[in-house]
Amino acid sequence: MKTIEQLQEKFSKAQKNYKTIKKNTEQKVIRWFWTTDSISNLEPFYFEENRFPKGRLHKDEPVKKENQYQYGVDDHNEIIVERQFTDLKDLFYEIFYIRGKDSIESYRFDYSIEKEIDHVELFMYEHSILTISYAVFKDGWIKYMYTYNKGKLSTKTMQRIYQNTEVPDRIFDYYYDETGLLQSIKEKEHYWYNKPNKKISYKKLTDLVSEKLLEILKQNILHYNIQEKIYCIYIYYYHEEMLPPSIGFGTESDRKEWLNEKGKEAKWIIWNPIDYSHSLEIELNEETQNLFNLYNQETSLHHKENNTIKMIIECCKNLKNSISAFELNKTDDFVVVASDYEQSDLKKNFKLINPELFYEFKNKLV
């Protein structure tokens, strides 16, 4: 493919040309502004498909720039520079957009001092409608082809080469409601986006999901039917896709082995469900998966991740109060706990779920 070969050549030269690309692009900037998160992407329905919330505009340059975004626009009021600041002071990713008549080329550089090239993209338009886009990386490339029905995007076909291996094509279908607004994005039977039912409030959606989550946690614990003696049931989640969480069972045999090997330092493993001998990923039927997908989507778009954590904590309290029904082989110090997979909120959540035991366990937790 000639276009991909040309982009691969540009990719190979991009790091060497970083200063030139930066200078030529930034000299066209006539105005800068700041946002709390990303607000722009050339990929159609990027934010809906990835369930990313759009950022909010800062009135002025923020004092703390960590994890904020800065944009530069040209005299056509089009974004030509994007800076994504990291949590490391004054270090940021950069994207430079080179806009032509029927195409836009972009270069994304990382935040390192060396400014290594991350990827090069090319978006091609016919009569201002995006028809093909390419992305070239160090270890492969992606090609998207877009088809339209009555002026609206109907299908996106993805072709990809990764580490010299051709990956099967993926097809995304786009559906719209009677008013012409995006209704859903599907890949086969999986919904990447589903427009929420305005008749169902977020609170009502949370109540439905909470009830279903507790039911599923109980079912999975019962069906797993662990026979070993356990010191905890650990509900853990990933911030990118919080529901459903996973379930870990901390066994007494593992804990004794870790304590013998590491002593006080064993707590870093004792409360790390990734290292447990017994854990399970929850599998959902299609109806429940769609319900959880919708909830994850709305939670992310409206910055309500804390709402999900509160819901998981309440489910853990209910599990704790009904634990005798599971007939588990438990240690005397058995607890139900919840945290993200990095244990960053383990202590905080432990205190909420097991307040009567917190000071006994405080120094044992990470």
Side-chain angles (χ1 to χ4, degrees), residues 107-364:
Y107 295 81
R108 187 176 195 265
F109 294 89
D110 72 9
Y111 60 85
S112 67
I113 295 174
E114 295 77 16
K115 282 297 177 182
E116 293 187 6
I117 182 67
D118 184 69
H119 63 261
V120 175
E121 289 185 285
L122 174 65
F123 298 83
M124 303 179 70
Y125 299 82
E126 292 181 8
H127 307 293
S128 300
I129 296 175
L130 180 64
T131 56
I132 299 176
S133 68
Y134 302 88
V136 170
F137 305 81
K138 182 179 180 180
D139 52 9
W141 54 262
I142 300 173
K143 177 182 178 181
Y144 290 115
M145 294 171 288
Y146 308 88
T147 57
Y148 297 81
N149 182 21
K150 297 180 180 178
K152 291 190 174 296
L153 178 63
S154 58
T155 303
K156 177 178 70 175
T157 302
M158 175 184 180
Q159 297 177 342
R160 185 177 185 185
I161 295 291
Y162 178 68
Q163 294 183 341
N164 296 319
T165 302
E166 186 172 353
V167 179
D169 289 359
R170 297 172 61 185
I171 298 175
F172 301 80
D173 295 305
Y174 299 78
Y175 301 91
Y176 303 85
D177 62 20
E178 61 277 5
T179 65
L181 296 176
L182 181 68
Q183 180 70 44
S184 61
I185 305 173
K186 287 183 69 177
E187 182 184 6
K188 296 181 179 179
E189 297 305 313
H190 177 73
Y191 281 90
W192 289 101
Y193 172 79
N194 205 3
K195 183 181 176 182
N197 185 345
K198 294 300 183 182
K199 294 180 181 179
I200 301 178
S201 66
Y202 184 76
K203 183 180 183 305
K204 178 63 175 176
L205 179 62
T206 301
D207 291 342
L208 290 172
V209 170
S210 177
E211 182 179 344
K212 179 59 68 173
L213 177 61
L214 180 59
E215 174 188 330
I216 288 171
L217 289 175
K218 287 182 176 180
Q219 287 176 352
N220 277 267
I221 292 169
L222 283 169
H223 291 165
Y224 194 81
N225 192 29
I226 187 167
Q227 298 299 305
E228 290 190 55
K229 180 174 284 191
I230 57 175
Y231 62 87
C232 78
I233 290 178
Y234 201 133
I235 309 302
Y236 60 103
Y237 42 87
Y238 297 83
H239 289 288
E240 296 80 9
E241 194 93 345
M242 298 185 77
L243 295 184
S246 300
I247 304 174
F249 300 90
T251 65
E252 180 64 357
S253 59
D254 278 345
R255 180 164 69 167
K256 285 181 177 179
E257 181 179 340
W258 294 328
L259 285 168
N260 287 334
E261 288 181 358
K262 298 183 179 295
K264 291 183 179 180
E265 294 302 309
K267 68 180 181 179
W268 295 99
I269 306 177
I270 288 172
W271 301 110
N272 183 5
I274 305 300
D275 290 321
Y276 289 1
S277 298
H278 294 270
S279 62
L280 63 97
E281 302 291 328
I282 295 174
E283 295 185 1
L284 305 174
N285 59 36
E286 185 178 341
E287 180 183 358
T288 305
Q289 184 65 66
N290 289 338
L291 175 65
F292 280 19
N293 284 345
L294 176 61
Y295 177 81
N296 286 333
Q297 167 189 292
E298 294 305 293
T299 297
S300 177
L301 290 174
H302 295 93
H303 301 278
K304 290 183 178 290
E305 287 79 7
N306 287 338
N307 186 80
T308 305
I309 296 174
K310 289 179 182 178
M311 179 174 62
I312 291 173
I313 289 171
E314 288 304 312
C315 285
C316 287
K317 288 180 180 178
N318 281 314
L319 279 177
K320 174 187 169 184
N321 293 334
S322 60
I323 203 68
S324 59
F326 295 93
E327 299 182 353
L328 299 168
N329 186 8
K330 308 188 299 296
T331 62
D332 292 339
D333 61 350
F334 172 85
V335 288
V336 177
V337 297
S339 179
D340 64 17
Y341 71 102
E342 294 179 329
Q343 307 112 63
S344 66
D345 52 3
L346 176 61
K347 274 190 177 181
K348 177 182 176 182
N349 293 348
F350 188 101
K351 189 173 184 179
L352 294 170
I353 299 168
N354 309 285
E356 75 284 0
L357 298 173
F358 179 69
Y359 290 102
E360 177 184 341
F361 277 80
K362 184 178 180 181
N363 293 326
K364 301 177 182 179

